[in-house]
Amino acid sequence: MPLPNRVSPDGSLFADPARGQFYGNRGGRFHDPRSHAVPTRLYANRQWLCCVLSFKGRSRKVWGRGYTELFFCDEVTALAAGHRPCMECRRADALRYRAALVSGLGLSETPLFPEIDRRLDAERRIGREKRLHRLAAEALPDGAMVANDAGFLALRGDAGLLWSPSGYIARRPRPTGAVAVLTPPATLSALMNGYQPIWHPSVTEFS
């Protein structure tokens, strides 16, 4: 039975046998190592990371007594949920993400990552609920994720790609007008200014 440690674009957790491309955490343990039930509180602190699946040969017992291990379909999913690249296992990506964010936000100084985490935390949730941002679809970059009646759509070129735990499964017309955006505005700024997220290989079917 799969653990409920897969992350959807809205940040919620669910169980699915699909293997994610990325691994991550939310700053510590928030699951019950005995019951493995979906937690009520879905984070330990503001540090929400997106990591590689394998790093320096480390091995962990998933959802044991350590921090709560999470898995993402791809980086686009992780960014939509409010995570950012990890500075330990993805240092080069984390620095590129921060540089693009600084450029996009027009910041005069480069913030430390805890400051970025505080900004993302304010943008990704209201209490325990996902914060949605009502924005014009025409102004959104590729890699932004929106929610509509069809489900979760990742924007890419002239399309909205329908998300599933195992990859993208259908091509829809790119939305127009005001849409409900899952990806936090700070990350949108990074995407608009050169940060290139890693997509699930299934996107090639719709290119």
Side-chain angles (χ1 to χ4, degrees):
M1 176 71 69
L3 294 170
N5 57 9
R6 270 52 177 176
V7 182
S8 76
D10 66 3
S12 60
L13 304 185
F14 63 98
D16 193 273
R19 179 175 172 82
Q21 273 198 306
F22 285 90
Y23 161 77
N25 66 81
R26 293 177 179 173
R29 191 180 85 199
F30 55 88
H31 69 279
D32 183 336
R34 292 170 297 182
S35 72
H36 289 166
V38 178
T40 301
R41 184 183 184 193
L42 297 180
Y43 61 94
N45 61 38
R46 289 189 292 255
Q47 189 181 64
W48 292 23
L49 303 178
C50 176
C51 306
V52 293
L53 290 174
S54 178
F55 184 65
K56 294 185 175 181
R58 296 177 185 174
S59 179
R60 299 182 57 84
K61 180 182 178 181
V62 176
W63 279 35
R65 297 201 171 274
Y67 60 74
T68 302
E69 297 88 353
L70 304 173
F71 296 89
F72 310 95
C73 170
D74 62 3
E75 188 177 14
V76 174
T77 305
L79 295 177
H83 291 247
R84 62 160 174 86
C86 173
M87 260 294 280
E88 182 181 14
C89 66
R90 300 184 61 204
R91 184 179 181 86
D93 289 336
L95 293 176
R96 281 193 288 268
Y97 171 87
R98 182 170 66 177
L101 183 150
V102 168
S103 176
L105 296 177
L107 302 180
S108 58
E109 296 182 359
T110 299
L112 298 176
F113 279 97
E115 183 178 341
I116 293 174
D117 292 335
R118 283 192 290 273
R119 179 185 287 265
L120 288 173
D121 192 57
E123 294 179 351
R124 68 187 164 221
R125 63 185 183 87
I126 304 173
R128 294 180 180 175
E129 300 298 319
K130 175 67 174 176
R131 183 186 290 272
L132 298 177
H133 303 271
R134 199 79 180 166
L135 301 170
E138 293 80 1
L140 296 175
D142 283 2
M145 189 84 73
V146 305
N148 66 13
D149 292 342
F152 302 123
L153 296 178
L155 304 186
R156 185 177 171 94
D158 62 355
L161 302 182
L162 185 62
W163 180 91
S164 81
S166 57
Y168 300 97
I169 56 175
R171 179 188 178 95
R172 300 282 188 266
R174 189 180 178 110
T176 59
V179 290
V181 183
L182 297 162
T183 311
T187 295
L188 294 177
S189 294
L191 295 173
M192 290 175 187
N193 284 270
Y195 185 71
Q196 298 292 320
I198 298 172
W199 291 76
H200 190 274
S202 57
V203 299
T204 60
E205 300 176 24
F206 306 104
S207 298

